[in-house]
Structures are given as C-alpha cells and as structure tokens.
Amino acid sequence: MAVEGGSSGTLSSGTVRTAVPARLDRLPWSRWHWMIVIGLGTVWILDGMEVTLVGNIAGRLSEPGSGLDISSAQVTGLGAALYVAGACLGALYFGWLTDRYGRKKLFLITLAVYLAATALTALSFDSWWFFVCRFVTGFGIGGEYAAINSAIDELIPSKYRGRVDLMINGSFWLGAAAGAMLSIPMLDTEIFAADVGWRLTFAFGVVLGLVILVVRRNVPESPRWLFIHGRGDEAESIVKDAEARCIAQHGEGCLPEPSGEIAINQRQAIGFGMIARTVFSKYRSRAFLGLSLFIGQAFLYNAVTFGFGAILAAFYDVPPGSTGYYFVAIAIGNLLGPILLGPLFDTVGRKIMISGTYIGSGALLFGTAALFSSGVLSATTLTMCWSVVLFFASAGASSAYLTVSEIFPMETRAMAIAFFYALGTAVGGITGPLIFAELTENGVLADTTLAFNIGAGLMCAAGVVAAFLAVSAEGRSLEDIAKPLSAQEQAS
C-alpha cells in the first residue's frame, strides 16, 4: 500500500492508494468466508425464532394462568409495534455508531443488547414490563441489521455477494421454523405449566445467542472501513491473512491479479449533512428505490409474521398450541426462496430478479386474498398459498437489504441501511401489525381480505419501482457501484 501524505497505520488524515477492495473481491470462496457467514448470519436465526415465538404464544399469554394480564391483540398489535419501533430507533442509533466506530465493535454490542433484553422478557411479571422488553429487544436487533449487513457486503467477494446476502437474510426463516417447532412442546400444558413454557422459549434463545456471540468474536473488522479511517496497517493484515488462508485451502495460483487500486483521503467521520446530501441529492432515485422496497416488504412481513397465528385462530379455530405446525410450512417456503433464487441475483441480474420477486409475490397474494374471501380455503390450504407467496417474497425482501447496502458509498453504508430500514419499517412494519391486529381480531372476512390486498398492492408497487430504478450491481465491486466519498479523482 503506497501512502501519500500520511501513514496508513495511524489515525491522522492523509491520502492512501490501496488495492484492498480489489483483493477482497478476487478471493475464491473459502473457509474464511464461511466463518463470516456463520459468525454474522446466524443471528437472523435468533431473530426469526423470537418473532415467531411471540406470534405463536400470543394466544397462550392471553389465557388465564399465563402470568400476564394481556390480550392476544396486544401481543400481536401493540407488542409487535413496539418491537418494530425499537428496531427502527436502534437501527438509526447503532447505524450511526457503526459508520463512526466500526462494524465489529457494534455487531458485538448490538447482540449483547438483544440477548439481555430477551432474557429480561422471560422474567416478565406484568404487561408493561413485557412491552418495555419487546421495545429494547427490537432496539438491539435494529442495530444488528445495520452493523451486520454492512460488514457482510464489505467482506464477501463481489461475484458471491448477492446470493450470500440473500441466504443470510433468509436464514431468519430457519429460526422461524425452529421457533414454530419449539413452541409446540413449550405451549403444551401437559409438559410445562401455562406460566412457564413461554418463558423457557425466550431463555433458550439466550443460550443460543451466547454461543453465537462467542463465534462472532473471531469475525474481523471490515478492511474497507479500516483503510478509510486511517488504519491501513490493520486492513492490510486482515487481507493478507484471508489471502494466506485461501492459498492454503486452494493452492498457489488461486489468486488472480487485483483489478486496480483506489486513492482514499482518510478521515475519521462523515457528518450527517454530507450523508444526507449524498443519499437524497446525488442518489435521489436510489433513495426512492430503497424506500419503496422496504415499505412493501416491511408491511407484508411484519403483519404476517406477527399476525398469522391470530388469523388461524380467528377463522379456522386452530388452538395456540398447534399454530407452530402451520408456521413451519410457511418458514420452509421463506427459507427456500433466497436459497434457490439467490444465485440468480448474481447471474440473471438484480433488476430482473428484484422486480420479478416483488411483483410475482404481490400477484400471488392477490390471488390468495380472492380465494380467502370466497371461503374456499382451509387452514392447510391457506398456509400452502402463503408458502408459495412467501417463497418469492422472501427473496425479494432479502434483496431490499442487499440493495441499500451496495448502492450507496462506503462511508454512508450502515446509516443508509439503518435509515431505509427504519423509515420503511416505520411506515410498513408498525402500521402493518396494528392494522392486521385490528382487522383480524374481529373475525370479519372482508377486513382480513383487505389487509391481504394492501400488502399485495405495496409489493407490486415496489416491484414496478425496481423495474425502472434498480441498479445492475451483480458482479461489480462496491466502489464501482458507488464511489466512496473519500475517493480521490486520481483513483485507478
């Protein structure tokens, strides 16, 4: 690394020329990358498990003897909205800290916050305590979205970035399936008392999270973040270690020549003013794209995730202890979508796949709403329809995080993820659960059909926006998609 006007290993400002991005992008897939995927991606399993558990235990919490004076609608409506509100604020707060203090420090802190709040949820003694814990739990998971998605995209080679990002975000549904299965024995009053089983489900999540926290300590800081913030020597050390591991696994000659260098004016922080001008002035159309994708998927997913158990109970008399079986089917559809369709985002391309998955899932949901309204569906066939809808919707929803992570400059990445997640989720993810809770609690068929159609319309609208505005980012370096704010004109 050649240095102009300052040492790459200090925090003093200066201009450096570096090939670190190109060297990261040329790496063949290796065990080093699997360490990153396991260390960072597995938290979505926890998130999926927790969200599903809350949806499934809503009926049990509202029953006498649960230990809480709370209704099912409060759990799936107010509780869900507070969880999402906390996630929005947590994303903004921790997103700002992530861009300022680094990815690794924050993805350790946010997981710790998440785990502490989950443990306290298990100790809930009154409804207000439960609601506060739901808010704080969301606060931690919101920070996870910003810190982890930025770190993943900066560490994964460009030709794998799309499928890996989708697979990791889609792993949420592996946790959802686990949560659904876990809720079955935990809610069985012949095994656990009504006020014990639901508490143990949260405690189980804490134990799993502690294991993830230990693994995550081995994940490195983003070299891209390091060299921009004047810590070039650390960035060089991490990249050399990754290269050595790839050579040891694949042999000499596995590393092609890096495609070029970039000149960076190192700095410690970027002000909010510059971030806002960059995102909403220079990249105005990309900002509209990100907002559209997040609103569509946030409404659909937060409403369905928190409210599907209530729908089964209200319209098909499915008891709380049995909703887990139906959730497993939905979770499998959601999980398979990103896994099977993810590679196409790197080959067929972002624009076609993002617009196709959004519009396709919206159209299928319109069809499901029509069948539901006609009364021809049972609990089983409704679940089957939702599984097909969410097979496509899950890939699309995961691509929203991929999109906002890769189409804005390096210095704004975590804040961009945080902002669009927070704003999109505030619009769709808070109103979604509240609307769904209101429309499904009364058991009126037309009201629930309307909620389905709203979600379908928003997904289709976002897909149309993507058809015109999505960026062809497949196989391209992050620096090529959006030039860093710190880059010098002489960069090669």
Side-chain angles (χ1 to χ4, degrees):
M1 178 183 295
V3 182
E4 304 167 10
S7 169
S8 62
T10 69
L11 287 175
S12 60
S13 61
T15 301
V16 300
R17 294 183 64 84
T18 179
V20 161
R23 290 165 64 190
L24 287 170
D25 283 338
R26 69 172 175 165
L27 294 176
W29 191 262
S30 68
R31 286 185 288 271
W32 186 79
H33 296 105
W34 278 118
M35 174 187 68
I36 294 167
V37 170
I38 295 172
L40 297 183
T42 45
V43 75
W44 296 159
I45 297 175
L46 275 180
D47 186 27
M49 185 172 67
E50 165 130 356
V51 170
T52 305
L53 284 171
V54 172
N56 286 344
I57 69 174
R60 175 53 43 79
L61 288 175
S62 64
E63 295 175 353
S66 70
L68 294 179
D69 182 15
I70 195 170
S71 70
S72 177
Q74 284 179 315
V75 176
T76 59
L78 178 59
L82 286 172
Y83 178 88
V84 175
C88 293
L89 294 176
L92 291 172
Y93 177 67
F94 288 121
W96 172 69
L97 293 179
T98 298
D99 278 334
R100 189 175 183 87
Y101 296 110
R103 282 57 170 133
K104 180 168 185 174
K105 184 176 294 184
L106 269 298
F107 64 58
L108 292 174
I109 292 173
T110 53
L111 180 56
V113 171
Y114 175 76
L115 292 176
T118 300
L120 292 174
T121 303
L123 302 176
S124 295
F125 55 88
D126 203 340
S127 58
W128 69 265
W129 179 274
F130 178 83
F131 290 136
V132 169
C133 290
R134 295 307 298 156
F135 177 85
V136 179
T137 303
F139 193 75
I141 202 62
E144 286 277 292
Y145 280 110
I148 289 179
N149 278 287
S150 56
I152 288 169
D153 284 353
E154 290 166 11
L155 290 166
I156 298 299
S158 56
K159 65 180 178 179
Y160 303 110
R161 189 174 60 241
R163 71 194 73 183
V164 171
D165 196 293
L166 262 69
M167 180 181 69
I168 287 176
N169 281 286
S171 69
F172 173 98
W173 292 99
L174 182 59
M181 293 302 296
L182 184 64
S183 69
I184 294 171
M186 292 298 180
L187 296 180
D188 188 342
T189 52
E190 294 184 2
I191 301 175
F192 298 105
D195 62 342
V196 173
W198 65 268
R199 299 180 190 275
L200 292 178
T201 59
F202 288 110
F204 180 83
V206 173
V207 174
L208 181 59
L210 290 173
V211 175
I212 296 173
L213 186 62
V214 172
V215 175
R216 185 174 287 187
R217 294 175 58 194
N218 297 318
V219 177
E221 177 60 88
S222 164
R224 283 177 156 102
W225 183 87
L226 287 169
F227 72 69
I228 282 181
H229 289 79
R231 296 163 61 179
D233 289 346
E234 294 178 56
E236 182 73 15
S237 176
I238 291 171
V239 175
K240 281 185 176 180
D241 176 63
E243 290 171 336
R245 295 190 185 202
C246 288
I247 291 173
Q249 181 177 343
H250 297 286
E252 295 288 345
C254 69
L255 300 180
E257 286 296 316
S259 59
E261 295 184 336
I262 185 170
I264 291 292
N265 180 30
Q266 296 175 316
R267 62 177 89 191
Q268 293 189 43
I270 301 290
F272 274 120
M274 180 175 289
I275 292 174
R277 287 193 300 272
T278 300
V279 174
F280 298 107
S281 179
K282 183 176 181 179
Y283 295 106
R284 187 179 300 113
S285 63
R286 295 185 181 188
F288 183 69
L289 168 67
L291 185 60
S292 300
L293 295 179
F294 267 98
I295 289 177
Q297 66 88 24
F299 184 96
L300 179 68
Y301 269 96
N302 284 284
V304 172
T305 299
F306 287 114
F308 190 68
I311 293 173
L312 293 176
F315 294 96
Y316 301 106
D317 296 322
V318 176
S322 299
T323 57
Y325 294 109
Y326 298 92
F327 251 97
V328 170
I330 285 183
I332 290 173
N334 276 285
L335 180 63
L336 292 178
I339 292 175
L340 298 180
L341 299 179
L344 300 179
F345 283 77
D346 286 324
T347 54
V348 174
R350 303 286 202 265
K351 181 172 291 190
I352 293 176
M353 292 306 299
I354 295 173
S355 60
T357 51
Y358 269 81
I359 294 174
S361 61
L364 289 169
L365 183 53
F366 275 126
T368 299
L371 293 173
F372 177 79
S373 178
S374 67
V376 300
L377 296 178
S378 65
T380 299
T381 53
L382 175 64
T383 302
M384 292 172 62
C385 288
W386 270 109
S387 297
V388 176
V389 169
L390 298 177
F391 173 85
F392 294 98
S394 180
S398 296
S399 73
Y401 295 94
L402 168 67
T403 298
V404 298
S405 178
E406 65 184 3
I407 64 175
F408 296 104
M410 161 75 202
E411 299 88 338
T412 70
R413 182 160 293 121
M415 271 305 300
I417 297 169
F419 176 81
F420 290 106
Y421 168 80
L423 186 57
T425 303
V427 175
I430 296 178
T431 58
L434 292 175
I435 291 174
F436 256 64
E438 181 68 26
L439 293 179
T440 59
E441 185 182 28
N442 57 22
V444 177
L445 194 67
D447 287 350
T448 303
T449 302
L450 173 62
F452 285 1
N453 285 327
I454 292 173
L458 289 172
M459 289 296 284
C460 287
V464 171
V465 172
F468 288 96
L469 299 181
V471 179
S472 299
E474 59 275 4
R476 297 167 60 188
S477 72
L478 295 172
E479 291 72 23
D480 180 43
I481 299 168
K483 187 176 181 181
L485 302 181
S486 304
Q488 302 297 297
E489 291 300 323
Q490 67 267 31
S492 56

